[in-house]
Amino acid sequence: MTTDIQAEVFTGNFTQQEPLPQAAVDAAMAVLNHGRLHRYNEAPDEVAEAAALEVEFAEMMGAKYCLGVASGGYALATALRALGVKPGDNVLTNAFTLAPVPGSIAAVGAVPIFVGVTQDLVIDLDDLAAKASQANVLMLSHMRGHIVDMDKLMAVARAHGLQVVEDCAHTMGAKWAHTWSGRFGAIGCYSTQTYKHVNSGEGGLLVTDDEDLMAKATMLSGSYMLYGKHRAGAGDQAFEDVRLSTPNISGRMDNLRAAILRPQLADLSRQCARWNERYAAVDAGLAETPGLTRISRPEQEKFVASSHQFLLLDWPDDAIRSVVDRCLARGVELKWFGAPDPVGFTSRYSSWTYAPSQPMPTSDRVLRAVMDMRLPLTFSLEDCHQIARIIRAEVGAAFQNL
Ligand SMILES: *Cc1c(COP(=O)(O)O)cnc(C)c1O
């Protein structure tokens, strides 16, 4: 029996998402057939797919305004520009995040100030309070879907006069207590890239209740003087002060992507539940594995787990590398976030050498330990049980030899 379990190999693909639903394919064909892919190219009496998508997402999120854009990273940079972040300004952000986040800060010529990460993989609120006076804006990344206590975070932000932009690339459909992720800060930003919770290849969404911010974001996205076509946009009067003074930094959503996103948004909550079933299967399968630390998540965190993380705290580099190699040999692709050199999508703050940073020993200990894997919906629950068995066996064996 033991030998059987040790021999098993997983054959699924960690980067294969589900095909798009038929409704999305049909909607795409309709757009391709009429050819009006540009969002402002509307037939008489037609509501463009991009405008309709914005209305639907604003309604879902209970937001006054929504803007579709070309990518999640574009949404983040647009949020900073709309908030008036200038070249040379500091912007606080998570040390544990992915490259597009500090990249969006660099895109506006600003300087990321990294805030530490806790063992629960959320932003360290004590470190945030300690660094808060250095900036006016916090770009908060809900990295890998881990949501910090948002009541406490917003209290720190209010106490220090910080404006908050939420990076919800991994939390579309998630909540803290009863409030959607993306609805705490001044602006919430989402990605619709293939590996996120809805898939249009590339794309982004931005929501806010602030009409002036939305007017600026809309002008920035490249709306020329056609902003009147937006259906979840700012009113005409909000554009009066900004229509001539705001540069056009083109990054619009188009009707083809919007068309394939609308049916996916309608199905989002069902998909989120399916991700969480897969997460629960993996997480339960890893319980009480010697040497492995699971991430504890509070009751109020209504997460959407499209990926799974665990920690190999204080393991030597060689031993971690050997777990990664042995799991890979058995078909399980673990990403080691703390690898000394970034591989694939992994990265840590010290590898973004355009941004100055001081070592953060407590965070470094956690980052070195983070193991990460995607859980695409093409995995069955049985796949997830098998993945957990393989990791459990390999981590357990390596731990014995430490
Ligand atoms: C994917 C991602 C983004 C934005 O991504 P785009 O690829 O620009 O759409 C932002 N933050 C995080 C943490 C991400 O993973």
Side-chain angles (χ1 to χ4, degrees):
M1 191 63 200
T2 317
T3 34
D4 277 359
I5 286 177
Q6 288 197 339
E8 69 182 331
V9 171
F10 177 63
T11 56
N13 180 341
F14 281 80
T15 54
Q16 182 61 57
Q17 305 289 28
E18 291 186 299
L20 296 193
Q22 191 57 42
V25 176
D26 294 344
M29 287 311 293
V31 172
L32 292 175
N33 281 320
H34 67 54
R36 291 183 295 279
L37 274 73
H38 192 282
R39 68 167 299 159
Y40 299 125
N41 185 196
E42 290 174 333
D45 302 325
E46 184 182 35
V47 177
E49 291 283 348
L53 170 72
E54 291 164 348
V55 168
E56 288 163 6
F57 193 61
E59 272 173 14
M60 269 178 78
M61 292 295 109
K64 285 193 184 149
Y65 310 107
C66 173
L67 176 70
V69 294
S71 73
Y74 183 89
L76 297 175
T78 301
L80 295 177
R81 288 194 178 97
L83 284 168
V85 174
K86 297 276 177 301
D89 287 356
N90 290 333
V91 175
L92 295 155
T93 195
N94 306 59
F96 177 48
T97 187
L98 285 169
V101 177
S104 72
I105 297 169
V108 306
V111 182
I113 305 283
F114 296 109
V115 181
V117 62
T118 70
Q119 253 196 57
D120 297 334
L121 298 186
V122 295
I123 194 164
D124 179 339
L125 294 175
D126 295 330
D127 197 34
L128 176 64
K131 291 173 177 166
S133 64
Q134 299 178 46
N136 299 319
V137 175
L138 165 66
M139 168 75 76
L140 173 67
S141 184
H142 301 297
M143 176 62 174
R144 284 300 188 248
H146 297 277
I147 306 175
V148 71
D149 183 325
M150 288 302 295
D151 303 319
K152 288 190 183 153
L153 180 127
M154 292 310 292
V156 174
R158 269 190 302 275
H160 294 87
L162 287 174
Q163 300 255 41
V164 179
V165 175
E166 288 179 71
D167 164 27
C168 304
H170 304 163
T171 53
M172 182 187 275
K175 289 181 174 173
W176 175 263
H178 301 292
T179 304
W180 294 107
S181 166
R183 303 292 294 131
F184 289 89
I187 302 181
C189 299
Y190 306 79
S191 169
T192 64
Q193 194 235 70
T194 296
Y195 301 112
K196 314 300 161 98
H197 297 175
V198 288
N199 174 11
S200 61
E202 303 288 352
L205 292 159
L206 180 158
V207 298
T208 183
D209 288 341
D210 185 312
E211 193 169 26
D212 293 322
L213 290 177
M214 185 48 58
K216 280 185 198 143
T218 306
M219 293 308 299
L220 285 162
S221 76
S223 70
Y224 306 100
M225 296 300 148
L226 299 168
Y227 45 78
K229 290 181 185 270
H230 288 243
R231 305 279 172 136
D236 283 352
Q237 76 297 335
F239 286 91
E240 245 141 64
D241 291 342
V242 302
R243 61 201 279 275
L244 304 178
S245 59
T246 309
N248 174 327
I249 304 175
S250 286
R252 290 171 298 271
M253 170 62 67
D254 60 84
N255 288 333
L256 180 58
R257 292 185 215 182
I260 67 177
L261 288 170
R262 292 176 62 204
Q264 295 180 67
L265 275 188
D267 202 26
L268 181 65
S269 64
R270 190 182 68 91
Q271 298 292 72
C272 292
R274 293 176 65 217
W275 266 303
N276 285 350
E277 281 172 7
R278 281 152 183 77
Y279 179 88
V282 170
D283 204 53
L286 296 179
E288 281 153 50
T289 304
L292 180 151
T293 307
R294 281 150 75 227
I295 310 300
S296 60
R297 309 188 83 157
E299 176 102 35
Q300 302 97 304
E301 188 193 12
K302 312 291 184 212
F303 57 81
V304 179
S306 50
S307 64
H308 187 277
Q309 291 73 40
F310 61 86
L311 306 180
L312 297 180
L313 273 172
D314 303 323
W315 284 46
D317 281 4
D318 288 356
I320 295 180
R321 215 172 268 123
S322 136
V323 167
V324 171
D325 292 347
R326 294 176 59 105
C327 285
L328 186 61
R330 297 179 64 181
V332 175
E333 261 179 67
L334 293 177
K335 306 284 184 208
W336 180 19
F337 260 88
D341 206 40
V343 180
F345 290 101
T346 70
S347 44
R348 53 184 192 183
Y349 67 93
S350 55
S351 43
W352 303 313
T353 59
Y354 58 83
S357 67
Q358 310 296 315
M360 290 183 266
T362 327
S363 297
D364 291 345
R365 174 170 176 257
V366 174
L367 290 174
R368 246 196 95 250
V370 182
M371 311 304 292
D372 173 77
M373 77 188 139
R374 290 205 180 101
L375 295 175
L377 292 176
T378 49
F379 288 1
S380 66
L381 292 180
E382 183 41 49
D383 289 341
C384 295
H385 294 304
Q386 187 183 34
I387 289 167
R389 281 198 303 273
I390 292 172
I391 295 172
R392 191 184 179 82
E394 294 302 339
V395 169
F399 188 66
Q400 274 192 339
N401 296 332
L402 282 190

